[in-house]
Amino acid sequence: MRDQDYLRLLSGRYPTLRAAAAEIIHLRAIEQLPKGTEYFFSDLHGENEAFIYLLRSSSGIIRDKIRETFGHFISEAEEIQLANLIYFPDRVIRKMRADGEFTEDYQKIAIYRLVRIAKVVSSKYTRRKVFKKVPQDFADIIDELLNVDENDANKKDYFDEIVRTIIATGITENFIQDLCRLIQNLTIDNLHILGDIYDRGPRADLIMDELMHFHDVDIQWGNHDIAWMGAYCGNRALICDVVRMAISYNSFDILEDGYGINLRPLSMFAAKVYGDDPCSRFLPHEWDRNVYDAVDSALAAKMHKAVSIIQFKLEGQIIHRHPEYRMDGRSMLEQVDYEKGTVRSMGRTYEMKDMNLPTVDPKDPLRLTAEEEELLRTLEFSFRHSRLLGRHIDFFYTNGSIYKVCNGNLLYHGCIPMEKDGSFESMNFGGQAYAGRALMDRVQSVVQNAYYLPEDDPGKGECVDFLWYLQCGPKSPVFGKDHLASFEHYFVDDAAPKKEKMNAYYDLNGKPEICEKILKEFGLPVAGSHIINGHVPVRRKDGESPVKAGGKFYIIDGGLSKAYQQKTGIAGYTLIYNSWHLMLAEHRPFDPASENTPRLKVVEEMPARVMIGDTDIGRQMEQKIEDLQELVAAYRNGTIKENNRTGDRN
């Protein structure tokens, strides 16, 4: 029985019995509609062109809808043109205008076809929900077109006249663009990003812009995302880390053109300190070419080495501040024997292949020089005062989490740390051990505190430091390895210390009983639930499968990043969950000049069609219906009086 005070508050929104009853009817009807389609992406790694194409094309589903709707009535060339119009309407229309092809006849045909597709993809939504997604300038017109039967003789002239008038008033281009955006929004109801939007690829900032304009998106933070979040929060080691990664993958555009990070002081410092050093071990990868900020590779190598050495100093300082991290052996500049030219790593000694370290004092290797301190102040100022980066990080915090439970699925980027025997690995915070879900919740709290605590709060610095641990620490659930071998990759030729040992979780996650244990830990039923994971690329060309544990476990990092595609043989996965089935879209390496339709494969059929009433939203609706039923009863027995003067709710 609801508290009377609560029912009185509810009566403010539903002031009459009729208003409350009407809402019950509305909610009951919605429960019987099919659930919306959810899309799961992982490890985007800055590949903006590929991701935006996949998002706007719904990983090939829109092309399927066109084929299903028009069949053999239009040619394959017309199919492709219509699909590209839906994905990139401004680009296609601009080209057609230049070629003299954007004629009145084409405009009429395009509008008719787009309306047909919009009707198909909107069919499982309420008219009210579709109307909310319609761009407002043409909301009434689009609503009419979507809900008029143009085959009805009484309405055909009405429909045709609307289209003729759109063309005659010269608003066709804007109208088509709005129709295309509506189709995109209706095809994907919910978008889940399982981490690592940043690093390696050229323009993660453009991906963030696209996500911020999407209607319903959530993010499960990855280790590379945590690095950027920490950089914005003022963690200097992570500032150096994200700069180092951008230089390493030749992605200056995101720093300078994207976020306005001032790299000139770094370039001047690096040129001065490493003037005669070729820094050949620090030459950037050539995965992508910068469009706006081309940097000479020799200078880039010097900048890369300079910021790396500063990062290793700062990491050592964090390790000293936090003995509870138990990472003494990873303060790498303190593991170097500067007389012998060797370094201690993972219990063994190796020859250093580069001993030109002019800013490192062998007697105090973690001490920053005055020039390095000044450089760090400049970089920190740039990061903390970048308005665009601030908006993107705020979006990460307001729409992100370390994990998410949604419609029977458990989503996270890295791992649930485990011991070899299958028990959950624990981590201490303030003398208390946390493991499993409790560890994930505790990590979530610390990450939030790093951003939301006031600058003068004595605990904020500890939380900001912990973001560095999350990015590379051995018990971090978003990292999942025993060490990060960046130093060894730069300075050691032997392969052994570069091998990063994965957490036991990655050997165990293919076992059904382990997946069931994890699902139960997060309050999910074993039957019908799934774990959806990213972080580790699936080597498809070596026969690895993204589906494990008899369909309980999906790992969907298939190598969208160009840096991984030689290993995986593909270019990533999209997992698609609609009312009928789970489907995997397997993507080919993106080529803007060719057709990029992925291979679609149904991997699990639902026992019965999943309706909105079966989802998390449906359960919330059911609770609201119970509340409204009590309100109706209160109106009927006079416990609460109706307010007829307010009028029925529309």
Side-chain angles (χ1 to χ4, degrees):
M1 190 66 156
R2 288 295 173 199
D3 183 272
Q4 290 296 304
D5 290 338
Y6 172 77
L7 292 179
R8 288 191 181 91
L9 285 173
L10 191 62
S11 71
R13 183 167 173 80
Y14 305 97
T16 67
L17 186 151
R18 289 175 62 192
E23 184 65 6
I24 291 172
I25 294 167
H26 174 66
L27 294 174
R28 283 290 188 213
I30 290 176
E31 286 183 327
Q32 301 310 307
L33 288 172
K35 75 174 284 294
T37 303
E38 299 174 70
Y39 275 62
F40 303 81
F41 289 95
S42 176
D43 296 82
L44 310 180
H45 283 300
E47 297 292 347
N48 56 295
E49 287 189 343
F51 172 69
I52 291 171
Y53 177 86
L54 294 176
L55 182 62
R56 295 191 183 184
S57 68
S58 303
S59 294
I61 295 298
I62 287 178
R63 179 74 183 279
D64 273 4
K65 295 295 183 186
I66 293 171
R67 191 176 295 115
E68 290 170 11
T69 303
F70 297 108
H72 62 275
F73 291 106
I74 65 175
S75 67
E76 185 176 4
E78 289 175 302
E79 229 181 68
I80 293 171
Q81 184 186 54
L82 181 57
N84 286 328
L85 177 65
I86 294 171
Y87 310 158
F88 301 104
D90 51 344
R91 185 187 304 174
V92 171
I93 292 172
R94 188 166 56 248
K95 185 178 187 306
M96 292 190 74
R97 282 194 185 281
D99 296 341
E101 297 174 356
F102 197 63
T103 62
E104 287 191 8
D105 283 344
Y106 171 80
Q107 293 171 38
K108 182 178 179 180
I109 292 169
I111 291 173
Y112 276 105
R113 288 176 176 173
L114 290 170
V115 169
R116 288 278 303 278
I117 296 298
K119 284 185 175 184
V120 170
V121 298
S122 66
S123 62
K124 65 180 179 180
Y125 299 114
T126 64
R127 186 169 179 176
R128 183 190 296 183
K129 182 168 183 175
V130 173
F131 190 79
K132 287 180 180 179
K133 290 176 181 277
V134 174
Q136 290 306 299
D137 286 346
F138 302 116
D140 291 332
I141 301 172
I142 293 175
D143 183 57
E144 286 292 318
L145 291 176
L146 291 181
N147 293 284
V148 168
D149 182 2
E150 68 270 28
N151 296 315
D152 184 336
N154 296 319
K155 294 293 181 78
K156 187 176 187 306
D157 289 343
Y158 174 70
F159 187 96
D160 290 344
E161 187 57 37
I162 291 175
V163 176
R164 278 195 296 269
T165 306
I166 290 168
I167 295 170
T169 53
I171 62 169
T172 313
E173 183 172 345
N174 292 331
F175 187 78
I176 285 176
Q177 288 176 347
D178 280 2
L179 265 178
C180 293
R181 280 192 287 270
L182 175 63
I183 292 167
Q184 292 174 23
N185 286 339
L186 289 171
T187 308
I188 302 177
D189 198 42
N190 306 103
L191 179 62
H192 308 288
I193 308 294
L194 275 72
D196 278 2
I197 293 170
Y198 281 89
D199 292 337
R200 293 193 176 90
R203 296 301 299 268
D205 58 309
L206 298 181
I207 293 176
M208 291 299 298
D209 285 341
E210 191 80 5
L211 294 178
M212 288 180 72
H213 288 95
F214 197 81
H215 56 274
D216 192 331
V217 60
D218 55 75
I219 302 167
Q220 291 71 58
W221 304 317
N223 50 312
H224 291 273
D225 306 322
I226 290 288
W228 279 84
M229 293 158 69
Y232 184 75
C233 290
N235 187 306
R236 288 182 164 191
L238 292 178
I239 288 172
C240 290
D241 181 71
V242 300
V243 171
R244 177 183 67 84
M245 286 292 291
I247 297 173
S248 173
Y249 285 90
N250 200 30
S251 300
F252 288 90
D253 280 352
I254 186 176
L255 294 173
E256 297 192 297
D257 184 64
Y259 290 132
I261 305 300
N262 182 10
L263 294 181
R264 181 167 174 76
L266 174 59
S267 67
M268 294 173 63
F269 171 82
K272 176 183 175 183
V273 172
Y274 298 102
D276 296 328
D277 186 343
C279 300
S280 56
R281 301 180 74 89
F282 292 85
L283 286 168
H285 300 290
E286 295 295 333
W287 301 113
D288 290 283
R289 292 287 183 180
N290 296 289
V291 176
Y292 301 102
D293 298 293
V295 178
D296 174 74
S297 60
L299 177 58
K302 292 177 173 60
M303 295 168 68
H304 188 184
K305 184 173 182 178
V307 78
S308 298
I309 296 302
I310 296 172
Q311 178 181 341
F312 296 139
K313 290 183 178 184
L314 294 168
E315 289 180 340
Q317 292 175 15
I318 292 175
I319 289 167
H320 278 276
R321 285 200 296 273
H322 296 281
E324 72 274 16
Y325 293 172
R326 299 183 179 181
M327 291 181 66
D328 290 351
R330 298 307 300 164
S331 178
M332 296 310 299
L333 290 175
E334 293 184 300
Q335 305 303 313
V336 176
D337 186 318
Y338 292 90
E339 291 184 0
K340 296 180 180 178
T342 60
V343 63
R344 187 82 173 161
S345 172
M346 308 307 292
R348 294 182 59 189
T349 300
Y350 301 91
E351 179 187 358
M352 286 276 288
K353 293 299 181 179
D354 181 354
M355 284 301 296
N356 184 31
L357 306 170
T359 65
V360 178
D361 179 356
K363 296 179 181 178
D364 190 3
L366 304 184
R367 182 178 59 82
L368 296 164
T369 67
E371 292 84 358
E372 288 172 328
E373 283 279 8
E374 181 60 31
L375 173 59
L376 279 171
R377 279 192 290 271
T378 302
L379 286 173
E380 184 177 358
F381 183 88
S382 283
F383 272 87
R384 305 202 74 180
H385 290 82
S386 169
R387 291 184 180 181
L388 181 60
L389 179 59
R391 289 198 294 271
H392 288 172
I393 297 303
D394 189 68
F395 185 79
F396 257 114
Y397 273 95
T398 55
N399 293 271
S401 57
I402 201 73
Y403 72 92
K404 184 178 180 70
V405 175
C406 180
N407 293 333
N409 296 313
L410 173 60
L411 286 54
Y412 50 85
H413 174 74
C415 68
I416 310 299
M418 304 190 88
E419 303 285 359
K420 291 180 180 179
D421 63 2
S423 61
F424 293 118
E425 186 177 30
S426 65
M427 186 176 179
N428 285 311
F429 291 84
Q432 183 174 347
Y434 296 82
R437 184 174 186 172
L439 172 61
M440 301 293 272
D441 289 337
R442 179 62 179 170
V443 166
Q444 170 89 18
S445 175
V446 176
V447 174
Q448 289 176 322
N449 286 341
Y451 184 68
Y452 289 112
L453 283 178
E455 292 296 324
D456 59 355
D457 189 290
K460 186 178 181 74
E462 183 173 329
C463 295
V464 172
D465 278 355
F466 187 72
L467 295 181
W468 172 82
Y469 180 89
L470 280 180
Q471 189 261 347
C472 64
K475 293 189 178 184
S476 165
V478 297
F479 179 56
K481 302 177 185 179
D482 65 339
H483 74 293
L484 182 61
S486 301
F487 186 94
E488 288 85 348
H489 279 286
Y490 292 130
F491 292 103
V492 176
D493 279 346
D494 299 67
K498 299 175 187 178
K499 178 67 174 176
E500 298 166 349
K501 184 179 178 182
M502 306 297 290
N503 184 271
Y505 164 90
Y506 294 99
D507 290 326
L508 297 169
N509 59 24
K511 298 181 178 181
E513 63 272 21
I514 293 296
C515 293
E516 291 175 5
K517 176 176 181 169
I518 294 172
L519 290 168
K520 290 176 182 176
E521 174 73 6
F522 286 83
L524 284 166
V526 169
S529 296
H530 311 88
I531 296 169
I532 306 175
N533 201 179
H535 190 48
V536 178
V538 177
R539 296 174 184 260
R540 193 75 177 93
K541 71 182 184 65
D542 294 336
E544 291 184 1
S545 171
V547 186
K548 297 184 177 183
K552 288 289 180 191
F553 185 93
Y554 289 86
I555 184 160
I556 60 171
D557 179 5
L560 188 64
S561 171
K562 292 185 181 73
Y564 291 135
Q565 288 172 11
Q566 288 184 341
K567 298 178 181 178
T568 63
I570 58 172
Y573 293 103
T574 309
L575 183 65
I576 303 166
Y577 178 25
N578 64 20
S579 59
W580 293 109
H581 50 239
L582 280 168
M583 180 190 304
L584 274 172
E586 184 178 288
H587 306 296
R588 295 176 291 182
F590 179 73
D591 180 357
S594 66
E595 176 63 15
N596 290 281
T597 303
R599 188 180 74 164
L600 299 172
K601 180 183 179 182
V602 173
V603 289
E604 182 179 336
E605 297 278 2
M606 296 299 109
R609 194 172 194 189
V610 183
M611 313 308 282
I612 289 176
D614 303 317
T615 67
D616 294 344
I617 290 175
R619 284 180 276 279
Q620 294 169 14
M621 286 181 177
E622 193 60 36
Q623 183 62 63
K624 186 175 181 180
I625 288 170
E626 290 179 14
D627 295 343
L628 287 167
Q629 287 172 334
E630 290 198 26
L631 179 61
V632 167
Y635 282 142
R636 283 187 171 138
N637 64 30
T639 306
I640 295 176
K641 303 298 182 183
E642 294 184 77
N643 183 2
N644 291 297
R645 290 175 299 175
T646 305
D648 290 347
R649 181 175 176 267
N650 292 323

